[in-house]
Every structure is written in C-alpha cells, then in structure tokens.
Amino acid sequence: MTRKKNGFINRRDFLKGTFAIALGLGFSKNSQRDFHGDVVSSTTTHEKKEGIPQRRLGKTEKMISMLSLGGYHIGRMHDEHYAVRMIHTAIDEGVNFFDSAWSYNKGDSERRLGKALKDRRDKAFIMTKSRGRDMVTASNELHESLRRLQTDHIDLWQFHDVQTIEDVDAIFRKRGAIEAALLAKKAGKILHVGFTGHRNPEVHVKTIQKYHQFIETVQMPVNLIDPHYLSFVRQVIPEAVKFDIGILGMKTVANGILLEDNVATIKECLYFAWNQPVSSLVSGMDSIEQLKENATYAQQFTNLSETDQSQLLARTEPFGGIKKEFYKYPSENWRTHPTHPLH
C-alpha cells in the first residue's frame, strides 16, 4: 500500500487529526464506572489514582490501568515462580489489566495468570483471546481458557489476530465465533467482546464500521513509526473513537526493535502511545525491573506538546516501513527482542 493510499498525507494533517481525537475522547466529561461496575466520581476519562492512572475502556465504562502486563512474555519465562511474582508485583504497582491468549506458550500464559490471580481476582481485569473462527472452536477455546485461568468469567474476550476480510466474515457469519461470544456473554462467562490484529488497518476499519454493535474493544499497533506505514493510528483510531470502541495499544516498541535499533527510547515510545486516545498499552515486559520502570513512566506521564510529538514523528519517519514493522507482513519469521527469555 502506498503512503497516499494509507492516508498519511503530511505530518501537520496527522497531528491535527490526532489532537482532535484526543480532545474528543480523552477528556470528555461523563460519569464513569470501575471494572466492577461501581460508580466513580471522576469527570474525565483519565483518573489519577495512587499508583498507575486508570482510563475508561470505551463504551464498556470500565476503568483500567493505562499499563497492562503482556501475557506472551509472562508465558515464555523459564521460571514460573518468577512469572507469578512479576504478576503480583504488577498488582502492587497499580496494574489491574492483564493480557493473555489461548494460544500463548501452549497455554502457559493463561495457567500462570490463573495461579497468580486466583486469590486476587477482585483486583484484576483479565483479557484473553481466541483464534477460533467458528462457533464450536471458539467455544472450546473459551472454556479451556476459563479452566486455565481458574475463574468463572473473563472480563474481556477478544477475537485474536484478525488479518483478512475472510477472517471477519468467518467470525460474524451464522455459526461463527461471534455466536459463541454472545452466548457466553449472556451466560456471564465473558463480560465484553473485542478483536485484535496487527497486519492490515483496513480490516480493522471495516470490522468496526460493520460490526460496532457487537465490538467493544480493539487492540492494534500504536507506536512512533506506525504513522509512516500502513497506519493503525491514522486509519483505525478515528473509527474507534467515533463508535466509542475501547482502544488497546500494542507493539509500542515494535517487539523491542525500536529499542534494539536505537530508534527511540522507552520513554519516548510509551509517551507517544499514551498521548493517543488509548485506554491501555499492552506491554511485553521481561523482568520486574522493566515492569517497575514502565510503571514509573505511567505514573509520571504528562501529555506531549504538539511540537514534541511533531519532532518525534519527524525523527522516526526514516524508519517507517516493513523492515521495522515486520509484523504487518503475513509471515511468522518475527524479530523478538530479547531473543530469549531473561528469566
């Protein structure tokens, strides 16, 4: 896809659109509820609490920490005890949003979350995902996720890695995965429904436009080089905001590549992503030290000025494209940094 087709015409137009979006969603006045359904008194969608601030998750009306503990990295750690300790540390730091997926690490991600959170369930908003596209497969994966997570309900269940229009059609057709989601929601086994993807922003846009009555959240890449190539920030965020879909950012450091290749610092990556109207960043962290560092940045976060954001985009524009954002290409030959688990 060319840059023209991608809609990224120039930096000034991008910034104008981004700041208009932030003003439209990030600071709108309304009453809020936390993720247990209790009314909270804040009049904005960003709540300053002790620890990590919380943001409203779109039309779900739930309040979640602006930093989420990524489940893939938790599942790949060699030391399960360390992984459990890291989850407990995340709660102590103020994280209440925990990510996982049925397919992560042959189930170890969900199992570790289940062990760590079974006696802390009231402190956790748990999100997991299913690759099932038909009703039977999705339902089977959901029930296995519930068993692994040792819980009677999942707060957010997402259709995982939606890549093509064919994926979308399969999910929303008769006897598709959406029927499993609606039945489970009616039964109280899941509370909210969303979808994820990192390859094609046009697929996200069409899914939101056509099925926004079913979809409550969307997860997608949000990082400093995304605006320069096949941009989710540029194309998908405006549609999500229009329908009050909760936005979850991922690939904030492009699987670590932006740090490994010295494109930007972790603070620059996090601050740019948080400056967009995202509810939370799903961050893959490899150590308790990284977790505490990211938590500190979340606690200290202030909005970037238009000048600061413009300068970051200008500096990172030469790095836009498939070489860094390899996950936008249909291949499983990914770069991951670090290559091997630290613990």
Side-chain angles (χ1 to χ4, degrees), residues 158-185:
Q158 298 198 110
F159 304 121
H160 195 187
D161 193 18
V162 177
Q163 300 182 28
T164 65
I165 294 300
E166 288 74 22
D167 278 341
V168 178
D169 291 342
I171 290 168
F172 289 96
R173 69 188 175 192
K174 186 176 181 180
R175 303 288 295 175
I178 187 61
E179 294 195 11
L182 294 177
L183 286 173
K185 196 173 182 180

Side-chain angles (χ1 to χ4, degrees), residues 90-284:
I91 292 176
D92 294 340
E93 291 291 327
V95 172
N96 72 354
F97 183 41
F98 293 87
D99 159 75
S100 193
W102 176 87
S103 60
Y104 283 170
N105 320 102
K106 299 180 180 179
D108 280 346
S109 173
E110 290 183 331
R111 280 188 282 268
R112 290 174 179 183
L113 273 182
K115 289 180 181 179
L117 297 176
K118 63 182 179 181
D119 61 348
R120 293 168 169 81
R121 186 65 181 89
D122 61 329
K123 299 181 183 297
F125 185 98
I126 298 176
M127 180 259 287
T128 195
K129 320 175 197 76
S130 169
R131 288 186 178 273
R133 300 299 187 238
D134 64 271
M135 181 180 178
V136 172
T137 303
S139 181
N140 289 340
E141 291 187 5
L142 170 61
H143 285 91
E144 188 166 11
S145 291
L146 286 164
R147 179 179 58 79
R148 291 171 178 171
L149 290 165
Q150 301 186 49
T151 185
D152 61 356
H153 74 279
I154 291 166
D155 298 285
L156 172 60
W157 193 53
Q158 298 198 110
F159 304 121
H160 195 187
D161 193 18
V162 177
Q163 300 182 28
T164 65
I165 294 300
E166 288 74 22
D167 278 341
V168 178
D169 291 342
I171 290 168
F172 289 96
R173 69 188 175 192
K174 186 176 181 180
R175 303 288 295 175
I178 187 61
E179 294 195 11
L182 294 177
L183 286 173
K185 196 173 182 180
K186 186 176 181 180
K189 295 178 180 179
I190 62 174
L191 303 186
H192 304 286
V193 180
F195 76 104
T196 84
H198 46 68
R199 302 204 193 281
N200 189 342
E202 290 184 354
V203 171
H204 277 48
V205 169
K206 291 177 181 177
T207 303
I208 291 171
Q209 289 175 340
K210 191 171 182 179
Y211 297 110
H212 57 86
Q213 69 270 36
F214 301 112
I215 294 298
E216 297 166 274
T217 64
V218 58
Q219 185 173 335
M220 60 188 176
V222 179
N223 62 51
L224 272 166
I225 55 176
D226 172 84
H228 309 302
Y229 175 75
L230 290 178
S231 179
F232 287 83
V233 169
R234 179 63 172 164
Q235 296 186 56
V236 182
I237 282 180
E239 289 302 311
V241 169
K242 184 188 302 182
F243 295 104
D244 200 13
I245 305 295
I247 302 169
L248 303 172
M250 64 175 171
K251 311 297 184 194
T252 309
V253 293
N255 275 40
I257 304 309
L258 300 187
L259 306 181
E260 185 179 25
D261 293 356
N262 296 313
V263 175
T265 67
I266 181 62
K267 182 177 180 179
E268 289 170 334
C269 292
L270 291 172
Y271 271 40
F272 173 81
W274 279 323
N275 211 62
Q276 316 313 312
V278 300
S279 299
S280 186
L281 299 183
V282 179
S283 181

Side-chain angles (χ1 to χ4, degrees), residues 1 4 22 80 96 179 183 307:
M1 180 179 292
K4 183 177 180 181
E80 182 179 273
N96 72 354
E179 294 195 11
L183 286 173
T307 298

